[in-house]
């Protein structure tokens, strides 16, 4: 569990970086291998559909992803561990593999989360994987896609419904690859969690705080090694830098809150990840977790509007 000093730092600054918190071989490597197999299957599918000229099976994972991306194949949604906030179809891709489920339930991760919110832990469905290509290959139409390009400054409460403003949500930003300022690590504004919620505007479909409301000179990049975790408060202002390297930057955004508190995304499914009081309530079956998302996809397919944030897109301050 986190030390008393680490817990104090979290509450003081609104964030806490713990390098190499996860066991790489046990927690991270199985996820990497699972995604390699997923890419194998997707490439075969896209070749069969005529969307990809060849499977590029002779290339390393990252180089293969570049070719897939350049061919216009949507790897980023097929890799994601949550549904999009709109335009959901009955066949919208989502990845629900056992290695990801095990990462969500990692004892090392949940132990640290318990230090911050207690032992009754619910896996919040506002979650993503981000395998971001170098900025040099990002297409213009994806310049505001947070799964591909830089993530705008925001607060996690700002991208949830106001019903979750009192939820003790904790975000765990997990580094799968080395995260550096050059390849687009997260940056945070220390102590910004103390000042309430700021206006969020939609830019290219991505919600973010207007730059004029951000104290850029106070921004602190947070590099992490693989297996490192950045914890932050839901009011902490944060975003990511551009990936100016020649390699992909890979991370997971995972969120947790106390059991019984609202998640801020009620149309998506969460689950009890840990319970000291009622161990029988914990979901430990990966197939049951996957089915929750598949059922949600079927329920939400072709729904015209899914309310997922509080902001008025026509707010004059967003002009």
């Amino acid at each position: 569990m986190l030390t008393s000093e680490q817990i104090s730092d979290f509450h003081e600054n609104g964030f806490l970086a713990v390098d190499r918190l996860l066991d790489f071989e046990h927690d991270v490597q199985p996820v990497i291998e699972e995604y390699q197999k997923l890419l194998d299957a997707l490439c075969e599918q896209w070749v069969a559909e005529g969307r990809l000229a060849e499977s590029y099976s002779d290339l390393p994972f990252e180089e293969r992803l570049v070719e897939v991306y350049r061919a216009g194949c949507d790897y980023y949604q097929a890799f994601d561990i949550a549904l999009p906030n709109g335009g959901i179809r009955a066949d919208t891709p989502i990845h629900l593999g056992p290695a990801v489920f095990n990462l969500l339930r990692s004892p090392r991760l949940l132990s640290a989360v318990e230090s911050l919110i207690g032992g009754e832990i619910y896996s919040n469905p506002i979650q993503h994987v981000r395998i971001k290509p170098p900025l040099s290959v990002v297409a213009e139409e994806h310049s505001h896609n947070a799964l591909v390009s830089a993530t705008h400054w925001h607060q996690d409460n700002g991208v949830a419904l106001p019903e979750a403003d009192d939820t003790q949500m904790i975000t765990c930003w997990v580094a799968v690859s080395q995260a550096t300022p050059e390849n687009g690590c997260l940056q945070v504004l220390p102590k910004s969690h103390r000042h309430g919620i700021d206006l969020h505007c939609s830019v290219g479909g991505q919600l973010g705080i207007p730059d004029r409301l951000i104290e850029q000179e106070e921004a602190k990049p947070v590099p992490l090694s693989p297996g490192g975790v950045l914890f932050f408060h839901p009011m902490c202002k944060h975003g990511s830098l551009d990936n100016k390297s020649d390699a992909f930057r890979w991370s997971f955004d995972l969120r947790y809150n106390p059991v019984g508190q609202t998640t801020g995304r009620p149309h998506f499914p969460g689950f009890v990840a840990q319970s000291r009081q009622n161990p029988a309530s914990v979901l430990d079956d990966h197939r049951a977790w996957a089915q929750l998302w598949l059922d949600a996809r079927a329920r939400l397919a072709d729904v015209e509007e899914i309310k997922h944030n509080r902001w008025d897109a026509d707010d004059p301050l967003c002009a």
Side-chain angles (χ1 to χ4, degrees):
M1 299 182 78
L2 300 178
T3 66
S4 58
E5 182 179 4
Q6 288 174 317
I7 295 170
S8 177
D9 284 349
F10 174 84
H11 291 297
E12 172 71 15
N13 296 304
F15 72 95
L16 174 71
V18 184
D19 217 7
R20 304 184 189 278
L21 173 73
L22 299 181
D23 182 281
F24 187 85
E25 294 301 322
H26 185 268
D27 294 313
V28 180
Q29 186 61 36
V31 172
I32 294 173
E33 293 173 0
E34 183 169 278
Y35 273 86
Q36 289 172 333
K37 292 178 182 177
L38 175 59
L39 184 57
D40 286 340
L42 288 170
C43 284
E44 290 181 9
Q45 173 188 328
W46 289 328
V47 169
E49 294 171 349
R51 298 177 58 194
L52 201 60
E54 58 175 293
S55 67
Y56 300 103
S57 58
D58 58 322
L59 294 180
F61 182 78
E62 290 195 2
E63 293 180 29
R64 198 177 186 188
L65 270 188
V66 169
E67 297 301 329
V68 163
Y69 178 73
R70 284 175 171 162
C73 295
D74 178 6
Y75 80 85
Y76 38 91
Q77 182 54 56
F79 278 9
D80 204 12
I81 58 174
L83 293 166
N85 290 319
I88 297 171
R89 308 180 311 274
D91 61 349
T92 294
I94 181 173
H95 178 58
L96 303 167
V100 169
F101 182 63
N102 289 339
L103 178 64
L104 287 166
R105 300 174 60 250
S106 163
R108 287 172 176 263
L109 186 59
L110 294 181
S111 180
V113 171
E114 180 175 358
S115 301
L116 299 173
I117 65 172
E120 304 303 299
I121 302 174
Y122 194 78
S123 176
N124 186 297
I126 307 177
Q127 58 190 28
H128 295 286
V129 61
R130 305 185 195 275
I131 307 181
K132 297 191 175 184
L135 180 63
S136 59
V137 304
V138 174
E140 177 61 30
E141 64 264 28
H142 294 149
S143 60
H144 297 292
N145 184 331
L147 296 179
V148 178
S149 62
T151 305
H152 301 330
W153 283 102
H154 67 284
Q155 297 159 293
D156 279 356
N157 270 86
V159 298
L161 294 173
E163 64 189 36
D165 281 354
D166 293 327
T167 292
Q168 293 174 270
M169 189 188 304
I170 296 292
T171 295
C172 308
W173 192 91
V174 179
V176 175
S177 60
Q178 190 81 21
T180 68
E182 182 186 14
N183 73 6
C185 70
L186 278 198
Q187 52 182 344
V188 299
L189 288 179
K191 300 180 172 61
S192 59
H193 65 303
R194 302 178 180 184
H195 307 305
I197 196 161
D198 273 350
L199 171 72
H200 285 61
C201 301
S202 179
V203 179
Q206 182 186 162
L207 280 177
I209 302 171
D211 285 345
R212 65 182 179 276
L213 300 180
I214 297 295
E215 304 84 0
Q216 299 283 355
E217 67 280 0
E218 302 294 329
K220 177 181 175 61
V222 186
L224 284 172
S225 301
V229 181
L230 172 61
F231 300 92
F232 48 90
H233 187 281
M235 287 291 189
C236 178
K237 297 176 186 176
H238 63 283
S240 75
L241 295 162
D242 286 322
N243 182 358
K244 297 181 179 178
S245 75
D246 295 326
F248 281 72
R249 195 270 284 153
W250 187 347
S251 65
F252 282 88
D253 302 346
L254 308 179
R255 293 177 179 84
Y256 301 91
N257 55 259
V259 173
Q261 295 187 4
T262 183
T263 65
R265 202 65 61 84
H267 47 283
F268 286 165
F271 66 92
V272 178
Q274 175 183 294
S275 176
R276 301 295 188 192
Q277 298 176 6
N278 184 15
S281 66
V282 172
L283 184 68
D284 57 8
D285 184 346
H286 135 261
R287 292 166 297 183
W289 168 69
Q291 193 61 51
L292 290 173
W293 278 102
L294 296 178
D295 290 345
R297 183 176 66 179
R299 184 179 69 252
L300 298 170
D302 302 320
V303 172
E304 288 189 11
E305 182 178 1
I306 303 171
K307 187 170 180 59
H308 63 274
N309 73 74
R310 71 189 75 195
W311 308 106
D312 180 1
D314 297 324
D315 190 307
L317 293 178
C318 293

